[in-house]
Amino acid sequence: QVQLQESGPGLVKPSETLSLSCSVSGGSVNSDSYYWSWIRQPPGKGLESIGYIYYSGRTNYNPSLKSRVTISLDTSKNEFSLRLTSVTAADTAVYYCAALECSGATCYFDYWGRGTLVTVSS
Amino acid sequence: DIQMTQSPSSLSASVGDRVTITCQASQDISNYLNWYQQKPGKAPRLLIYDASNLKTGVPSRFSGSGSGTDFTFTVSSLQPEDIATYYCQQFNNLPYTFGQGTKLEIK
């Protein structure tokens, strides 16, 4: 069973860069089984996909965030990371890392971290 | 992006009631739809994939149906532990998008 755990600062200043990591246990980020994903949820609101990275390094980002987002892998630590630049208050959210499983034509977010609240404020 | 619209936004029902939530996609997504349950302060949990397939371990009182643009999620007999917000999510096109959620409460 894959387990995911987010880590990183809970407070980021406007215009600065949000950086989060997701530690993976029970599985390897080098595995072709999952697309390692980030999803966020503003307080009291719905879910928004940020993007994913595959073990090959291939990435896909939500066009609404593409100019500011980078997702990367660290195979030595078995983790993946999110960088979001030039943040504003609108980026305040609970950030989840998740394992997207795709088999044939089916895809679903199978495993999730507990989420970490990031507040953008001076 | 494909827009997913759920209704109602909130729903109050009694224990034992049959509850139905609908999800409409802005374009044809075949059966490329999942349903998740999110309890307060927790991460979402996958309940149904491919519109109608129950994930292993999920109680059989949960079900889903539909294809194309219109989908339905049903709880056949509401239990107290089903209090949560439910989200549909399409995986026909990237970016994968979610409905705005339906908050289910007990009367």
Side-chain angles (χ1 to χ4, degrees):
Chain A
Q1 167 123 347
V2 174
Q3 293 185 309
L4 305 167
Q5 178 65 58
E6 305 89 351
S7 61
L11 181 64
V12 181
K13 289 183 168 56
S15 80
E16 295 191 345
T17 297
L18 179 159
S19 295
L20 295 174
S21 295
C22 181
S23 177
V24 178
S25 58
S28 170
V29 297
N30 265 328
S31 165
D32 63 355
S33 299
Y34 300 104
Y35 295 76
W36 305 105
S37 304
W38 288 96
I39 296 161
R40 70 180 183 177
Q41 184 173 35
K45 296 189 178 180
L47 299 156
E48 178 183 35
S49 299
I50 298 172
Y52 66 68
I53 188 165
Y54 198 41
Y55 79 104
S56 60
R58 177 165 64 92
T59 56
N60 183 278
Y61 302 133
N62 190 320
S64 69
L65 299 168
K66 189 173 183 176
S67 64
R68 300 193 291 131
V69 170
T70 304
I71 298 175
S72 57
L73 285 175
D74 187 334
T75 56
S76 66
K77 295 181 180 179
N78 205 37
E79 64 182 35
F80 61 105
S81 299
L82 170 70
R83 288 184 75 249
L84 182 66
T85 62
S86 304
V87 298
T88 69
D91 295 310
T92 293
V94 174
Y95 285 76
Y96 293 100
C97 57
L100 174 68
E101 180 171 351
C102 292
S103 176
T106 297
C107 289
Y108 47 73
F109 295 103
D110 201 7
Y111 298 104
W112 298 67
R114 291 185 174 183
T116 186
L117 175 62
V118 179
T119 302
V120 179
S121 175
S122 55
Chain B
D1 296 4
I2 296 177
Q3 306 303 314
M4 307 300 295
T5 304
Q6 287 181 233
S7 61
S9 297
S10 63
L11 177 56
S12 182
S14 300
V15 172
D17 281 356
R18 182 182 182 88
V19 170
T20 298
I21 297 168
T22 64
C23 177
Q24 186 169 60
S26 60
Q27 65 184 71
D28 189 339
I29 60 170
S30 185
N31 67 330
Y32 296 160
L33 184 100
N34 303 321
W35 288 97
Y36 298 83
Q37 175 193 65
Q38 185 179 34
K39 295 186 176 181
K42 301 291 188 183
R45 168 197 176 200
L46 177 71
L47 299 181
I48 289 171
Y49 62 95
D50 288 350
S52 60
N53 292 323
L54 199 64
K55 187 168 189 248
T56 302
V58 173
S60 59
R61 64 180 179 274
F62 296 103
S63 65
S65 65
S67 66
T69 60
D70 296 302
F71 301 86
T72 299
F73 172 82
T74 299
V75 185
S76 61
S77 178
L78 188 66
Q79 300 301 303
E81 60 267 31
D82 300 335
I83 297 314
T85 300
Y86 293 85
Y87 293 93
C88 60
Q89 174 245 321
Q90 66 81 21
F91 57 96
N92 186 73
N93 283 359
L94 289 164
Y96 297 156
T97 48
F98 294 83
Q100 82 278 17
T102 296
K103 187 174 183 179
L104 185 50
E105 298 172 323
I106 294 282
K107 262 185 201 173

